[in-house]
Amino acid sequence: MSNNALTESFNSGFGALSNAWNVPAVANGQVSLTGNSAMMEWAIGRDAGHGYGTYTVTAKAEGSQPGPGIILWPGDDKWPGQEIDMLEITPDGSGRQYGTVHWNNNGADAYATVIYDGVQGGSFHEYQMIWAPGLITFKVDGVTKGTIDGNVPVDYDHGGMNNTIGFMNNNPNTSLTISHLEFTPLGQSVVATPAPAQQAPAPSAPAPSAPAAAPAAVAADAGPVDWNALAAQVTAHYEATGRWELPGAASAAPAAAPAPAPAPQVEVAVKVDWEALAAQVTANYEATGHWYL
Ligand SMILES: [Ca+2]
């Protein structure tokens, strides 16, 4: 048995998504990813994460550029590979959102997409992906946006591999806020997910968009970001420290989020998955001229 149900409300921490990178502590039952940040279940083997079933994420993507992602990463952490994305933003500036199934085509990345027609960013939506044998269905707010029935991966319990649930943002002009995550194995009843908390500004609370959440190394509102320079900076930092992060981000993050964050886990977290993610983003840039996952 390697396909357990999962409920995460982000009321007291990151739960199973403890492989976190530049992510501030939860607040108001939500977690917000800005700048370059990510959080994921640990992709440590083919039985890691989850398989066939219904994945439901209540989230708000902001911005009209690639950056936010709801990502199911290959359990074996190998890419190109078995990646299923429940939310990304197209690189054409339209702000359209879409879902993707990736697979390894003789060593090259191949993929099929479903555009989420009529879905606008800037507000919470319920993103749902149903992974069944031979069929993947993408829904938003209960409405089916499309299906994919070719190259559908087989889960671990049926001889294939599972995927781990992750969230990321890699653009200073976008953000991703998640309020709830639910996974229900195939064959079990899917429970209703709660609506996100209304963000009524309390008199004593800082504004949700306070700049403290942004990594210090990314100069906010400084105009177009030179991604080549940023990538070179991150790569140089990795070569010097063995860690994929923006220089200075590790020291800035705890100050920005004075809450019981699991700091020791962050030290280990950056060594495994983010190297593969960074490689993928770089490969996408070289192939398309766009920085996206
Ligand atoms: Ca919540």
Side-chain angles (χ1 to χ4, degrees):
M1 178 61 188
S2 56
N3 196 22
N4 296 319
L6 174 67
T7 297
E8 182 53 60
S9 298
F10 300 107
N11 289 330
S12 60
F14 299 162
L17 283 75
S18 59
N19 185 357
W21 183 59
N22 292 344
V23 180
V26 299
N28 302 317
Q30 303 173 352
V31 60
S32 291
L33 281 66
T34 61
N36 290 266
S37 54
M39 60 193 305
M40 190 182 286
E41 296 179 296
W42 289 91
I44 53 175
R46 299 179 66 84
D47 61 345
H50 315 268
Y52 293 152
T54 301
Y55 298 76
T56 308
V57 178
T58 307
K60 175 175 66 175
E62 295 188 281
S64 58
Q65 302 168 1
I70 300 175
I71 296 163
L72 304 190
W73 192 247
D76 65 358
D77 194 33
K78 291 177 180 171
W79 202 91
Q82 179 177 307
E83 176 189 349
I84 305 170
D85 301 318
M86 295 173 60
L87 166 65
E88 288 180 278
I89 296 178
T90 61
D92 60 3
S94 67
R96 291 181 299 165
Q97 302 180 0
Y98 66 103
T100 309
V101 174
H102 291 261
W103 63 93
N104 183 333
N105 182 15
N106 295 315
D109 175 47
Y111 58 90
T113 61
V114 167
I115 294 285
Y116 299 160
D117 283 330
V119 177
Q120 300 288 325
S123 61
F124 279 95
H125 294 285
E126 184 187 83
Y127 298 91
Q128 196 165 63
M129 189 276 291
I130 302 162
W131 181 11
L135 181 66
I136 285 178
T137 303
F138 291 102
K139 294 183 177 183
V140 180
D141 298 328
V143 177
T144 298
K145 295 299 182 182
T147 60
I148 290 173
D149 61 6
N151 297 286
V152 174
V154 174
D155 77 356
Y156 180 81
D157 283 351
H158 298 83
M161 181 169 69
N162 284 352
N163 284 49
T164 55
I165 302 168
F167 307 114
M168 71 173 298
N169 188 75
N170 61 2
N171 186 329
N173 300 316
T174 65
S175 67
L176 179 67
T177 300
I178 307 100
S179 68
H180 194 82
L181 161 66
E182 192 89 35
F183 170 69
T184 306
L186 197 67
Q188 297 183 14
S189 297
V190 176
V191 299
T193 56
Q198 298 300 313
Q199 293 200 341
S204 61
S209 58
V218 178
D221 303 319
V225 169
D226 184 340
W227 285 99
N228 286 298
L230 189 60
Q233 190 181 11
V234 171
T235 301
H237 186 71
Y238 172 75
E239 289 172 354
T241 65
R243 295 167 53 162
W244 282 104
E245 63 185 4
L246 286 167
S251 57
Q265 294 173 329
V266 174
E267 290 298 318
V268 183
V270 294
K271 304 206 76 165
V272 184
D273 294 320
W274 310 131
E275 181 173 0
L277 279 169
Q280 179 181 355
V281 171
T282 301
N284 285 338
Y285 175 76
E286 290 172 350
T288 68
H290 295 286
W291 287 101
Y292 69 97
L293 185 68

